[in-house]
Amino acid sequence: MHRSPTRVWVLGLVIITFTSSACSEHPRREDVLYVSEVPSQVRGAVGASLDPRGFISGWAGAPDKPSHVVDVHVYIDGDASQRDHYVGRVRANLAHAEAAKAMRSDGQYGFRFVVPARFRDGAEHTAYVYAINPSGNINPHIGTLRFRLRDARPFGVLGKLDGGTFIGWALDTDDTVSPLRVGFWVGSERIGVAKTDVARDDVNQTYHVGGAHGFRFALPAALRDGKLHVIQAFVEDDNGRRLARLSGAPQTFSIGDGVELSGALEVVFDQSRSACETWDIPDLPARALRDGDGNIQLYASHYVTYRMTGRDFGALDRICTNGDGSNELTPAYRSHLSSEPRDFANYEWLAATFRLPETNTVYALLHVEYEGHHYPGRCAEYETAYQDCVNSATSSAQRNACTQTFHNRCQETSIVAARSSDGGKTFSRTLVPQVVATRGLPYAPTGARFGYMEPSNILHANDGYYYIFVHTEISPGLQDWGTCLLRSADLSVERPVWHAWDGSGFTVRFDDPYRDSIADPKKQVCAPIEKNKLAKLANSLTYNSYLERYVLIGVQGDSFYYATSRDLIHWEPRRLIARVNAGGDSARFHYLYPSLIDHHTQRINFDHSGREAYLYFTRNNRTPGKGYDRDLVRLKIRFTK
């Protein structure tokens, strides 16, 4: 190969000779120049200390070529002028927060280089790190690091659950040949062990090692019971002594029917830390949308509703005030607490939202409860029984049970419409209520909770209609219990009209019993959809691209369930997601209000989902001596068919 004559570059006080050649990938890199200060477009930095696991970490990128992945070369105990001290290279393609700011880009520019075993002798060594310029032969020195390293701890990752088997890897950089032992624990019970005998090319490429470092651990049959469990994973020595816990552990998991939950149980909203006021608690399923600026708005409502917002689901903030410095609380929606049943404005929950495309208008549905026991004369026939119950109670728990029973005996629920004109920051409703679903008679207590309640999110289907499911309870002589399906042709009009399924078509319109003339209230009822299959599932509705079915999620008994359908009318029998309230921690926690949200869908109202998504739900913390203490949590969900 022809080589040009040797040249000398003088840059500041640094004089380095090099020989030019054709572009070569040979690790001695005779064709490049390494310098500290040059007018280069490559930038980077090296961490101030060595990672305890034996990594040199940092970042490198080319601002004029932000999509280019920069190579990083490492020399130890001699800089680039001493080419025999070259020890390896790594690609700068990992997430790195400092790099993202410096590069003003969302790209990945971080790197981790594993120090070879021969330098893990406890002696002092010096590493010289260079970034390779994609535009030419001038490759800047981006950092020098002095270190001592001996017997680095093993490390690894407990990865995802796949078909009842946990997949992961573990690595000991002091010995990359011998297989490692990984022990698995649920609670205080050691449930098994796996060896790192599975090839993982991704691990080998990332850490510049050979050998097999992956593992697969099949869960015992006893843990495939649909309950929530928490698993830990540790690298162990031959005597079972724990050497290091794997990242990604602990994980909460459950194996259901055609579905798996696994991962860290993430707290999205912690009431004890982030509540704007006392009654700021998650009391309905979570709903999400993207506003016109691309921000996520997330709601999990009580009768006062505050929102969370952020650019992505990993950085959501609770919004209590409007930020003008006044500290005045500004909920997304607050109940009117009207004592008049005809107002449909007593206790109101923001239950469903749908942002209209190309606008900042958000159509919404309110779950409205009229709680007659708060108002004299509205629940008179049950007041004596309530007082007798309270007088005979011997504990606060019994008195609370009396109150709850009395509350339900005089409660009617309805669904009315609301709207936001600012992308979901605040909602309002008309003085004359836009009734979506209600009983065809004026309020009168029945002795049990009755009406139409807790609508699902709104789904815009391929046929152009907007659909919701609604949970119904018995209205004596009128409505049967179950799950009803409603649809609307257009949400952009001033007063959208909804029609319910009557058993053969969408013909039922719910009129206002205080303002409209209703000839026969018995005709203002919907036909529950396949009660034997769905029961009362109505919390969350999406179209799932993996299953190629509509997926409806809800609660039945102590468990979360889902059901699937091709047309929203005919459904397969419900299937278990998880027995969330049947585990050993049911005395400490109670779980309710599940909803399915796929963070990666392109739909601005999150009414579609894929194979992997997140299951959001409320965790009721049964804290002794404390009233309502609820958090919004989420867990990864994966459909397995």
Side-chain angles (χ1 to χ4, degrees), residues 46-51 55-57 145-146:
V46 175
S49 61
L50 199 67
D51 183 281
F55 299 153
I56 298 171
S57 61
L145 181 65
R146 290 183 174 84

Side-chain angles (χ1 to χ4, degrees), residues 187-199:
S188 60
E189 180 183 359
R190 189 173 187 270
I191 61 171
V193 65
K195 288 190 175 182
T196 54
D197 55 7
V198 178

Side-chain angles (χ1 to χ4, degrees), residues 493-505:
V493 299
E494 184 176 352
R495 297 179 72 87
V497 176
W498 291 83
H499 290 94
W501 180 255
D502 66 1
S504 59

Side-chain angles (χ1 to χ4, degrees), residues 347-519:
Y347 289 85
E348 304 160 85
W349 282 248
L350 185 67
T353 58
F354 194 93
R355 183 186 144 220
L356 302 177
E358 310 303 327
T359 75
N360 230 16
T361 299
V362 181
Y363 180 83
L365 297 175
L366 302 176
H367 160 93
V368 181
E369 297 180 3
Y370 184 78
E371 301 185 356
H373 68 287
H374 288 300
Y375 308 104
R378 296 291 190 186
C379 200
E381 53 265 58
Y382 301 105
E383 290 177 1
T384 300
Y386 170 67
Q387 290 300 328
D388 290 343
C389 180
V390 171
N391 292 337
S392 63
T394 58
S395 67
S396 60
Q398 290 179 357
R399 285 189 291 274
N400 289 337
C402 294
T403 300
Q404 187 62 44
T405 299
F406 185 59
H407 166 271
N408 288 341
R409 284 179 173 175
C410 300
Q411 182 187 107
E412 179 178 14
T413 57
S414 304
I415 299 169
V416 301
R419 194 174 292 264
S420 169
S421 59
D422 57 10
K425 295 177 182 177
T426 57
F427 292 81
S428 61
R429 48 170 290 181
T430 57
L431 290 177
V432 177
Q434 296 185 29
V435 174
V436 174
T438 192
R439 191 175 68 152
L441 293 171
Y443 169 78
T446 65
R449 190 185 195 201
F450 66 94
Y452 304 86
M453 62 196 72
E454 301 173 7
S456 70
N457 57 293
I458 301 169
L459 179 140
H460 192 196
N462 289 336
D463 63 5
Y465 285 95
Y466 301 85
Y467 290 90
I468 57 170
F469 274 92
V470 172
H471 166 199
T472 68
E473 290 292 351
I474 292 176
S475 296
L478 297 175
Q479 181 65 56
D480 195 5
W481 69 267
T483 297
C484 284
L485 179 63
L486 285 74
R487 77 179 187 185
S488 177
D490 190 354
L491 300 185
S492 65
V493 299
E494 184 176 352
R495 297 179 72 87
V497 176
W498 291 83
H499 290 94
W501 180 255
D502 66 1
S504 59
F506 290 92
T507 65
V508 178
R509 174 173 172 169
F510 292 91
D511 290 322
D512 184 338
Y514 302 96
R515 295 168 180 83
D516 300 321
S517 176
I518 301 176

Side-chain angles (χ1 to χ4, degrees), residues 218-297:
L219 289 168
L223 295 175
R224 301 171 183 243
D225 55 2
K227 296 180 181 179
L228 291 178
H229 301 280
V230 179
I231 190 170
Q232 291 271 20
F234 300 89
V235 177
E236 301 175 342
D237 64 17
D238 291 340
N239 297 317
R241 183 172 66 92
R242 297 175 179 178
L243 303 178
R245 185 170 69 183
L246 299 187
S247 65
Q251 286 195 30
T252 299
F253 73 89
S254 174
I255 299 178
D257 184 2
V259 69
E260 295 174 337
L261 302 177
S262 69
L265 185 66
E266 303 176 33
V267 178
V268 181
F269 167 72
D270 184 333
Q271 185 195 2
S272 65
R273 296 183 178 183
S274 302
C276 299
E277 56 180 283
T278 302
W279 292 108
D280 180 13
I281 61 174
D283 195 47
L284 277 185
R287 308 296 186 217
L289 62 88
R290 284 195 182 275
D291 64 21
D293 296 323
N295 295 311
I296 293 166
Q297 306 291 344

